[in-house]
Amino acid sequence: MRITFVLPTANMCGGIRVVAIYAKALAERGHRVVLVSPPAPPVPLSRKVKDLMMGRGWTRSAPPPSHFDGMGLDHRVLESYRPIGDDDLPEADVVIATWWETAEWVSRLAPRKGKKAYFIQHHEIHPYLPVERCRATYRMPLRKIVIARWLADVMRDEYDDDDVDLVPNSVDHDLFFAPQRGRQPVPTVGFLYSCSSYKGVDVTLAAIEKLRALHPDLRVISFGSAQPDWSAATAASIEFHFSPRQAELRGLYAQCDLWMTASRSEGFNLPAMEAMACRTPVVSTRAGWPMEAIVDGKNGFLTEVDDVDALAVAATRILSLGDADWRALSDNAFATVKDSSWARSCDLFEQALIRLSSKAGDAQGAKSSSSIVHS
């Protein structure tokens, strides 16, 4: 097949990483894969002036690092930041939107650019986005591929589409693994840093402060692809790792007694799955994949969104376990994800594209009754 992915600006976010995994796997299976994205938007003059006045020099636009770097993929970046159209894309069998704005672009493409799919990694209804435009993209006649059961439910309940392809994310067990172990000598909590408000880092930090009252020696590990804007006191109390290599993440996860995630909204939550693959129990809000995977007291704990006290209590329960009970929780966390496989997920993704490309007539016409939702 000839497959085109239409992307927003490529960067180090988790959604781009998932696209990179599938693009690489599909190319290795013999498909012709092309990825097209706009560059980063130009830096506003006001920010350039502010940075200059703050002594940071004259800020220049530069290509951000992305998960496509060094992968040997055919990634084509436009000459300027603008919508992607017919002239920017090769003819293909399938063309895939990967974000709400790219869905608008893909919906306008000529049929020769491929049957149209929409790879949905989140329900992008956030206050900082044009909500009605985002909602409209989920009503477009594009074949939907979703990464989590809750997204399939949203497409059915809110957009009257009960015929979508569910292709769950997975974990690379060659990268994320750990031997059986006991609790750390010093109680240790880990979390992912993000500047996006829906990731709930403010809630995580508040829960950690409550934990410190009970565990003054608490060790806190964090990593992220953005530099935190923390106070000096907070920065001094957290071991932060800026954009670590994928191979380094395993060691960070495996140093933790628990992984905490306080997202207000989440498409999937790959770090939670990776932490479990490294035998680390997870304390999470009810958002994304953890809702499907975590059983209270078995492999971690679930709490309500924005409930700082509940997060702190759940974390305390894990940090208070004896070594044998913590090992049981750790083993169960690993067992939760041990059968997960990117190869199997890629099989499902590939099969969804093959079905779409083989449909007669318009790709967005009546859906075949043989198409199923994968679990």
Side-chain angles (χ1 to χ4, degrees):
M1 277 187 299
R2 299 167 299 169
I3 303 166
T4 303
F5 288 89
V6 178
L7 300 140
T9 300
N11 54 29
M12 296 299 293
C13 77
I16 295 294
R17 179 181 165 208
V18 172
V19 172
I21 289 170
Y22 285 132
K24 183 70 170 177
L26 289 167
E28 289 175 345
R29 294 180 182 203
H31 301 289
R32 178 186 166 193
V33 179
V34 174
L35 306 107
V36 183
S37 66
V43 179
L45 179 61
S46 59
R47 180 182 161 191
K48 291 183 178 182
V49 172
K50 180 180 178 181
D51 286 350
L52 184 63
M53 295 178 64
M54 295 294 291
R56 292 192 286 263
W58 187 253
T59 302
R60 300 181 183 276
S61 298
S66 86
H67 288 289
F68 301 131
D69 296 343
M71 293 193 72
L73 294 167
D74 186 355
H75 177 209
R76 306 175 186 181
V77 181
L78 302 186
E79 79 291 343
S80 63
Y81 183 79
R82 58 174 176 78
I84 292 172
D86 284 336
D87 292 343
D88 304 308
L89 304 175
E91 293 188 7
D93 299 300
V94 176
V95 59
I96 307 167
T98 57
W99 153 257
W100 72 269
E101 193 171 20
T102 67
E104 294 182 336
W105 304 341
V106 165
S107 71
R108 297 192 289 264
L109 295 175
R112 68 181 184 278
K113 299 303 175 179
K115 305 288 183 66
K116 298 171 183 178
Y118 190 179
F119 185 36
I120 299 172
Q121 300 194 62
H122 205 323
H123 188 213
E124 302 288 354
I125 307 302
H126 305 302
Y128 56 85
L129 295 176
V131 170
E132 290 311 311
R133 283 176 62 191
C134 294
R135 288 192 185 280
T137 67
Y138 301 120
R139 299 187 182 96
M140 289 176 176
L142 311 179
R143 180 67 196 187
K144 300 182 183 71
I145 303 173
V146 300
I147 64 170
R149 172 63 61 181
W150 80 271
L151 285 169
D153 293 342
V154 167
M155 295 305 123
R156 180 196 64 218
D157 297 341
E158 297 192 25
Y159 303 99
D160 297 321
D161 190 349
D162 62 356
D163 184 20
V164 305
D165 289 289
L166 172 57
V167 181
N169 285 345
S170 188
V171 62
D172 185 344
H173 292 285
D174 290 332
L175 276 176
F176 301 103
F177 60 89
Q180 288 182 305
R181 65 179 189 275
R183 283 184 50 196
Q184 300 296 322
V186 175
T188 305
V189 175
F191 72 95
L192 174 72
Y193 174 77
S194 171
C195 53
S196 298
S197 61
Y198 70 83
K199 292 291 187 177
V201 171
D202 56 325
V203 178
T204 298
L205 293 175
I208 286 172
E209 284 309 302
K210 288 183 174 290
L211 281 178
R212 289 191 190 280
L214 297 173
H215 302 278
D217 59 342
L218 186 71
R219 181 187 179 201
V220 182
I221 297 173
S222 180
F223 67 83
S225 59
Q227 289 285 6
D229 184 18
W230 288 333
S231 67
T234 299
S237 65
I238 296 174
E239 299 174 27
F240 182 73
H241 301 259
F242 176 63
S243 287
R245 293 182 299 109
Q246 289 291 302
E248 296 172 347
L249 296 180
R250 175 178 70 248
L252 299 179
Y253 287 129
Q255 292 179 58
C256 299
D257 294 310
L258 68 94
W259 186 259
M260 184 179 289
T261 172
S263 294
R264 297 179 171 95
S265 175
E266 191 71 62
F268 191 84
N269 201 327
L270 267 178
M273 178 177 267
E274 292 165 355
M276 285 188 170
C278 296
R279 298 183 179 272
T280 301
V282 173
V283 173
S284 173
T285 47
R286 296 183 186 278
W289 173 80
M291 290 190 295
E292 304 173 23
I294 293 177
V295 178
D296 281 350
K298 181 178 180 180
N299 54 10
F301 289 94
L302 288 173
T303 72
E304 298 304 321
V305 170
D306 281 334
D307 194 334
V308 172
D309 290 338
L311 278 167
V313 167
T316 298
R317 290 179 67 177
I318 292 177
L319 294 179
S320 300
L321 291 173
D323 191 69
D325 288 337
W326 186 90
R327 284 175 180 267
L329 202 68
S330 170
D331 289 343
N332 288 336
F334 173 75
T336 301
V337 301
K338 70 180 179 63
D339 293 327
S340 176
S341 162
W342 277 117
R344 188 176 303 114
S345 292
C346 190
D347 288 342
L348 295 175
F349 199 94
E350 182 182 39
Q351 290 162 16
L353 299 185
I354 290 172
R355 282 194 300 273
L356 176 57
S357 68
S358 64
K359 285 183 182 178
D362 188 276
Q364 283 67 55
K367 294 179 178 178
S368 168
S369 60
S370 64
S371 182
I372 60 173
V373 173
H374 294 287
S375 58

